[in-house]
Amino acid sequence: MYTIDVAHPARPAESVEQEVEAAWHHVQRSKTLRLLKVIHGYGSSGKGGSTRTVVRNWAFAHRQHLRAIIEGERYSLFDSETQVVRLTCGQYPDADLGTDNPGFLILWIH
């Protein structure tokens, strides 16, 4: 799994989109990587921040190029999509698995 953190430090939306796009291309060109974990944070307001919105909107707009989009709050062994991803891509160690954390997104790339 390839992981990027676009939440720290805070940056403009265009910069966030460019970084996610570059990471997506990196994973897409890789012969071994299939998963991209984007740490976008949740925002200090308690309602989700603008970086989170930018990342999730980007994922939605590019969903035709993704096999799955798994939000951090769903990323659990009890989630059927997570189970399929982990069976297909491997049982990699991940401290965020099962934490109900809305501050990241897992993208399974075609």
Side-chain angles (χ1 to χ4, degrees):
M1 178 175 352
Y2 186 67
T3 303
I4 61 170
D5 184 345
V6 296
H8 309 98
R11 53 193 70 125
E14 313 81 54
S15 178
V16 169
E17 284 183 347
Q18 290 171 354
E19 198 168 335
V20 171
E21 188 93 17
W24 171 58
H25 284 297
H26 174 76
V27 173
Q28 198 176 36
R29 287 188 305 265
S30 171
K31 297 215 184 289
T32 57
L33 294 171
R34 287 297 101 204
L35 299 176
L36 172 60
K37 181 179 189 177
V38 182
I39 300 168
H40 52 61
Y42 189 64
S44 58
S45 68
K47 299 182 291 191
S50 60
T51 301
R52 176 181 186 256
T53 301
V54 167
V55 170
R56 291 189 178 202
N57 285 346
W58 183 95
F60 181 77
H62 292 84
R63 68 189 178 278
Q64 70 273 15
H65 302 290
L66 305 169
R67 290 183 70 179
I69 301 169
I70 304 173
E71 300 85 2
E73 55 270 30
R74 260 193 329 121
Y75 186 54
S76 160
L77 291 177
F78 300 105
D79 176 69
S80 60
E81 236 175 354
T82 301
Q83 290 172 5
V84 171
V85 166
R86 291 182 62 81
L87 285 171
T88 307
C89 298
Q91 300 292 324
Y92 50 87
D94 191 344
D96 287 317
L97 182 64
T99 60
D100 192 28
N101 180 349
F104 71 93
L105 197 63
I106 302 286
L107 304 175
W108 186 8
I109 298 170
H110 282 290

